[in-house]
Amino acid sequence: MNANPIFSLYVPTKILFGCGEIKKLATETLPGRKAMIVISGGTSMRKYGYLDKVIGYLTENDVSAIVYDKILPNPIKAHVMEAAAICREQKCDFIIGLGGGSSIDSAKAIAIMACNDGDYWNYIVGGSGKGRPVTKALPVVAIPTTAGTGTEADPWTVITNEEKQEKIGFGCPLTFPALSIIDPSLMLTVPPHLTAYQGFDAFFHAAEGFLANCATPISDLYALEAIRLLYKYLPVAVNDGRDLKARAKVAWASTLAGLVEATSCCISEHSMEHAMSAYYPELPHGAGLIAISAAYFETFRNDSMKRYMKMAEAMTQQKSNRPSDFIDALLRMQKECRVDEIKLSDWGIKLEDFPKMVQNARETMGNLFTLDPRPLTDEEVLGIYQKSYK
Amino acid sequence: MNANPIFSLYVPTKILFGCGEIKKLATETLPGRKAMIVISGGTSMRKYGYLDKVIGYLTENDVSAIVYDKILPNPIKAHVMEAAAICREQKCDFIIGLGGGSSIDSAKAIAIMACNDGDYWNYIVGGSGKGRPVTKALPVVAIPTTAGTGTEADPWTVITNEEKQEKIGFGCPLTFPALSIIDPSLMLTVPPHLTAYQGFDAFFHAAEGFLANCATPISDLYALEAIRLLYKYLPVAVNDGRDLKARAKVAWASTLAGLVEATSCCISEHSMEHAMSAYYPELPHGAGLIAISAAYFETFRNDSMKRYMKMAEAMTQQKSNRPSDFIDALLRMQKECRVDEIKLSDWGIKLEDFPKMVQNARETMGNLFTLDPRPLTDEEVLGIYQKSYK
């Protein structure tokens, strides 16, 4: 970073954080009288009563709601388009994303398509997207029930174009949520392995954003605090999901990592993972990141030595003298979270898939490679995939 | 702080930071085509060319401007009312506060009164204010040329009712600046003693906000970083005003301390100083704070021991074992900034003024006393004043 950096800070989202804060839905001024609640195609939002809770508080606040409940773990464009059409037809004023990142990201994309014509990919920048400007969108309220994506504190939405195998992040000032309610008590039911995958997604948002060549004093502040909290509390939350304090610390770290994404940016590790789950949508995003992380961070070890040591110090709270201290701490944390043995082959990925993934990563999210500590060659990217293969 | 704190983060201001960033006035989307530029009654905004620079960039951006140039160091209600009347008459779309906190705070108050009827004090909460709700205000653009108030990153505006000797802070979500441009190269001309007064104002925003019983994980993050930066760089900026790196670090720390004010709150030290400068408007705010700081922080030394040690550690970067380490570091920093010998008597303050100042502090900004680490008695408040008197 330059000695006199030029940077900006703009996060217009109103963030309410804390156990029980979901009840504020009943009293906050909301951006309209009719909401579309977007949830996943799974059962958990109904099973654990979260959907009923949200509808109840909305009713108290004199807001009616319809529910769209088809979102996939890697959300697809077809659902965005379908929900946006319903939204127009039903004249919804705003969109509530309730659940994991997939539901909230979908809510943002639906909010765009409820106000803009044609296909969602007309507005996407990257891949085969046409990059048209977005000048309006419905307001979004984000209610995460997982701790990982940070989407509640940033403008980004990641949707897969299932026809083109392109998984691309997109966002603009209009896609910051107007309101985000992060209530850790809604996260107690996430099973250990998903807690770990999601928590590491947050960790990599922070670590990548800290290494990005566009990092700034404000993103650094958020990133190191997220890294410190996750190293300390993610293993606790993974090993005892009922520990509310650990859940709250991990949730806050995830939101901080979202602020990193709003003020710095992910780097090519995220492009590489998006390429993997574009071809293998069953692969959880966090699992893909964990699988390539050791080889990935090894690659830049000598390019950002000071920053590796700062991350190590935030994690261990000990003075660090070697950049590899960060990688050692990362591997220790993965072991403590029981995700040190992820096999990409378990999700059907084959060694011979990697060359096309290198190409896909470059084509769909090539911009993140320009933010790396130094430019990677295609051979290096392929090498990271191959070294990570089990 | 509770193990599972409930808190919020809402700072909708777009903050642009960096040397030379003032030029963005020419290219940013501004909230209208006609601006009122609010500056002090002094000469510096013209003498150093800052006003011409701002008008030039506005012209490039197709925005016309009128200038209101009467603001006092402790800004008064009469000027707010006069400028607001001109603003309505001239149909200005937004207000630019250019200069120190007095100009930017006045811009916020003018933005309110340009859209609301009657007297400014009708809307003030505290003292003889009537506390009516504010539901509209013109947008504000803040361009600080000093590093201290943090008003560029918070909703607060401090105006003195000169008829009633009430100096009261006020703000609401509408008084967050829409845009703030913090360009440290506009701060090179601030003389050493004012650099120190203003820098310590920022320091106390951070330290008070860190000790406040409403402090949160996000305000703590901002506060400790502001405290760290000011301890390291304020003496450098005071002793060599041309050191652009030190100016930039101090400016950023001041903005961070503004974020503390937006997410936590000042405590009674600020109420006590407001009472002093309500009676002695020539007393610079920062000088008043410095004068009472040793006795003030001594008072809470055993009430927030851990937090005192955390502040000491942020300052010295050494492990602290005693809360008094913070007070030692504070006094050292005041010495390095050559403000360790401030005499309140130099500004005409008399020992017998203090009882009425205790009363004024309670009546006009009594709410801050409720945020102290523990409740202070009137005798204690008087004692702090008396111990600080030279």
Side-chain angles (χ1 to χ4, degrees):
Chain A
M1 201 184 297
N2 192 294
N4 275 320
I6 286 170
F7 60 98
S8 64
L9 170 60
Y10 179 57
V11 180
T13 303
K14 182 169 184 178
I15 292 173
L16 304 180
F17 185 96
C19 296
E21 283 295 88
I22 185 68
K23 70 175 181 293
K24 292 267 173 75
L25 258 189
T27 51
E28 281 289 305
T29 303
L30 296 176
R33 301 259 64 88
K34 184 166 183 183
M36 168 180 269
I37 304 173
V38 177
I39 61 175
S40 84
T43 57
S44 53
M45 292 304 109
R46 287 194 172 88
K47 186 168 76 185
Y48 298 120
Y50 302 154
L51 180 62
D52 280 348
K53 205 173 259 198
V54 164
I55 291 174
Y57 288 131
L58 289 175
T59 307
E60 276 186 57
N61 207 338
D62 211 14
V63 171
S64 67
I66 59 171
V67 176
Y68 184 85
D69 61 359
K70 296 188 187 172
I71 304 301
L72 300 176
N74 276 304
I76 58 172
K77 181 170 75 74
H79 290 154
V80 169
M81 296 305 296
E82 181 180 68
I86 297 169
C87 202
R88 285 182 198 222
E89 195 185 287
Q90 300 272 324
K91 297 193 178 22
C92 294
D93 302 314
F94 66 106
I95 317 284
I96 297 175
L98 170 67
S102 55
S103 298
I104 298 170
D105 282 15
S106 296
K108 293 176 179 177
I110 293 164
I112 294 173
M113 294 319 296
C115 303
N116 291 278
D117 294 325
D119 192 81
Y120 179 59
W121 234 244
N122 290 348
Y123 303 94
I124 294 301
V125 181
S128 62
K130 295 202 180 116
R132 291 193 194 146
V134 172
T135 56
K136 52 194 170 170
L138 292 184
V140 170
V141 173
I143 306 173
T145 62
T146 67
T149 69
T151 186
E152 67 275 13
D154 72 44
W156 311 116
T157 160
V158 180
I159 301 293
T160 296
N161 185 326
E162 63 280 22
E163 298 146 18
K164 301 196 166 154
Q165 279 161 329
E166 291 177 347
K167 179 179 176 180
I168 305 188
F170 174 74
C172 64
L174 289 167
T175 48
F176 273 107
L179 172 68
S180 289
I181 303 180
I182 301 110
D183 185 338
S185 65
L186 303 183
M187 301 172 186
L188 293 171
T189 49
V190 181
H193 69 291
L194 294 182
T195 301
Y197 294 163
Q198 292 155 6
F200 270 101
D201 185 20
F203 183 90
F204 294 126
H205 295 152
E208 292 176 43
F210 189 69
L211 295 179
N213 61 29
C214 61
T216 71
I218 189 72
S219 65
D220 287 353
L221 195 60
Y222 296 140
L224 289 177
E225 179 70 352
I227 287 168
R228 181 184 77 79
L229 288 169
L230 287 164
Y231 182 78
K232 186 167 178 186
Y233 292 104
L234 184 60
V236 183
V238 169
N239 288 295
D240 176 9
R242 305 299 306 175
D243 186 322
L244 193 56
K245 181 181 169 188
R247 288 284 189 191
K249 298 289 186 187
V250 169
W252 174 233
S254 169
T255 299
L256 281 168
L259 292 171
V260 175
E261 291 181 89
T263 51
S264 177
C265 196
C266 287
I267 54 177
S268 59
E269 188 189 25
H270 261 70
S271 309
M272 290 179 64
E273 197 297 311
H274 281 202
M276 293 198 288
S277 48
Y279 287 101
Y280 294 93
E282 302 294 311
L283 172 69
H285 175 52
L289 290 168
I290 294 166
I292 61 172
S293 61
Y296 183 82
F297 285 99
E298 187 61 34
T299 308
F300 292 119
R301 179 160 60 88
N302 294 317
D303 302 299
S304 296
M305 295 173 63
K306 274 195 189 164
R307 291 195 158 242
Y308 272 61
M309 292 189 281
K310 276 194 182 176
M311 290 195 289
E313 287 175 359
M315 294 164 87
T316 63
Q317 298 287 302
Q318 312 254 319
K319 189 88 196 143
S320 166
N321 299 309
R322 305 178 315 155
S324 60
D325 288 343
F326 168 69
I327 297 169
D328 293 345
L330 174 64
L331 293 178
R332 202 157 51 236
M333 186 182 162
Q334 293 181 351
K335 201 170 174 116
E336 287 172 8
C337 293
R338 293 178 274 136
V339 289
D340 53 328
E341 293 291 345
I342 288 176
K343 288 196 178 87
L344 291 177
S345 54
D346 285 349
W347 277 278
I349 296 181
K350 292 178 279 300
L351 253 181
E352 55 268 31
D353 292 327
F354 289 134
K356 73 183 175 196
M357 286 181 187
V358 174
Q359 201 183 340
N360 180 296
R362 294 278 192 193
E363 282 170 5
T364 57
M365 291 183 73
N367 55 330
L368 300 194
F369 285 89
T370 69
L371 305 176
D372 283 339
R374 67 171 169 82
L376 291 182
T377 64
D378 282 355
E379 288 67 39
E380 285 180 297
V381 179
L382 185 62
I384 292 168
Y385 277 133
Q386 288 170 337
K387 276 179 224 153
S388 309
Y389 192 70
K390 282 187 263 202
Chain B
M1 199 184 298
N2 191 293
N4 275 321
I6 285 169
F7 60 99
S8 66
L9 170 60
Y10 178 58
V11 181
T13 304
K14 181 170 184 178
I15 292 172
L16 304 180
F17 185 97
C19 296
E21 283 295 88
I22 185 69
K23 69 174 183 295
K24 292 267 173 75
L25 259 190
T27 50
E28 281 289 306
T29 303
L30 296 175
R33 301 258 65 87
K34 185 167 183 182
M36 169 179 271
I37 305 173
V38 178
I39 61 175
S40 84
T43 57
S44 56
M45 292 303 110
R46 288 194 171 88
K47 185 167 78 186
Y48 298 120
Y50 301 155
L51 180 62
D52 281 349
K53 206 174 257 197
V54 164
I55 292 175
Y57 288 132
L58 289 175
T59 308
E60 276 185 57
N61 208 339
D62 212 14
V63 171
S64 68
I66 59 171
V67 177
Y68 183 84
D69 61 0
K70 297 188 187 171
I71 303 301
L72 299 176
N74 275 306
I76 58 172
K77 181 170 75 74
H79 290 155
V80 168
M81 296 305 296
E82 180 181 69
I86 297 170
C87 201
R88 284 181 199 222
E89 193 186 287
Q90 299 272 326
K91 298 192 177 23
C92 294
D93 303 314
F94 66 106
I95 317 286
I96 298 177
L98 170 66
S102 55
S103 299
I104 297 169
D105 281 16
S106 296
K108 293 176 180 178
I110 294 164
I112 292 173
M113 294 318 296
C115 303
N116 291 279
D117 295 326
D119 191 81
Y120 179 59
W121 234 244
N122 291 347
Y123 303 95
I124 294 301
V125 181
S128 63
K130 296 202 181 114
R132 291 195 195 143
V134 172
T135 56
K136 53 194 169 170
L138 292 184
V140 170
V141 173
I143 307 175
T145 62
T146 66
T149 69
T151 187
E152 67 274 13
D154 72 44
W156 311 117
T157 162
V158 181
I159 303 293
T160 295
N161 185 327
E162 63 279 21
E163 299 145 16
K164 303 198 164 152
Q165 280 162 327
E166 291 177 348
K167 179 179 176 181
I168 305 188
F170 173 73
C172 65
L174 288 167
T175 49
F176 273 107
L179 173 68
S180 289
I181 304 181
I182 300 111
D183 184 338
S185 65
L186 304 182
M187 300 173 187
L188 293 172
T189 50
V190 181
H193 69 291
L194 294 182
T195 301
Y197 294 163
Q198 293 155 6
F200 270 100
D201 185 20
F203 183 90
F204 295 126
H205 295 152
E208 292 176 44
F210 189 69
L211 294 180
N213 61 28
C214 61
T216 70
I218 188 72
S219 66
D220 286 353
L221 196 60
Y222 296 140
L224 288 177
E225 179 71 352
I227 287 168
R228 181 184 78 79
L229 288 169
L230 287 165
Y231 182 79
K232 185 168 179 185
Y233 291 105
L234 184 60
V236 183
V238 169
N239 289 295
D240 177 9
R242 307 297 307 174
D243 187 322
L244 193 56
K245 182 182 168 186
R247 288 283 191 191
K249 297 291 185 187
V250 169
W252 175 232
S254 168
T255 299
L256 281 169
L259 293 170
V260 175
E261 291 180 89
T263 51
S264 176
C265 195
C266 287
I267 54 177
S268 59
E269 187 188 26
H270 261 70
S271 309
M272 291 179 64
E273 197 298 312
H274 281 202
M276 292 196 287
S277 49
Y279 287 101
Y280 294 92
E282 303 294 311
L283 172 69
H285 175 54
L289 290 168
I290 294 166
I292 61 172
S293 61
Y296 183 83
F297 286 99
E298 187 61 33
T299 309
F300 294 118
R301 181 160 60 87
N302 294 318
D303 302 299
S304 296
M305 295 174 65
K306 274 196 190 164
R307 290 194 160 242
Y308 272 61
M309 292 189 279
K310 275 195 183 176
M311 291 195 288
E313 288 176 357
M315 294 166 87
T316 63
Q317 298 288 303
Q318 313 252 318
K319 190 88 197 144
S320 165
N321 298 310
R322 304 179 316 156
S324 61
D325 289 342
F326 168 69
I327 296 169
D328 294 345
L330 175 63
L331 294 178
R332 203 157 50 236
M333 186 181 162
Q334 293 182 351
K335 203 173 173 111
E336 286 172 10
C337 293
R338 292 178 276 136
V339 290
D340 52 328
E341 292 293 345
I342 288 175
K343 288 196 179 88
L344 290 176
S345 54
D346 286 349
W347 277 278
I349 296 180
K350 293 179 278 302
L351 253 181
E352 54 268 33
D353 293 328
F354 289 135
K356 74 182 174 196
M357 285 181 188
V358 174
Q359 201 184 341
N360 182 296
R362 293 277 192 194
E363 282 171 5
T364 57
M365 290 181 74
N367 55 330
L368 301 193
F369 285 89
T370 68
L371 305 176
D372 282 340
R374 66 170 170 84
L376 291 182
T377 64
D378 282 354
E379 289 65 39
E380 285 180 297
V381 178
L382 184 63
I384 292 169
Y385 277 133
Q386 288 169 337
K387 276 180 225 154
S388 309
Y389 191 70
K390 282 188 265 204

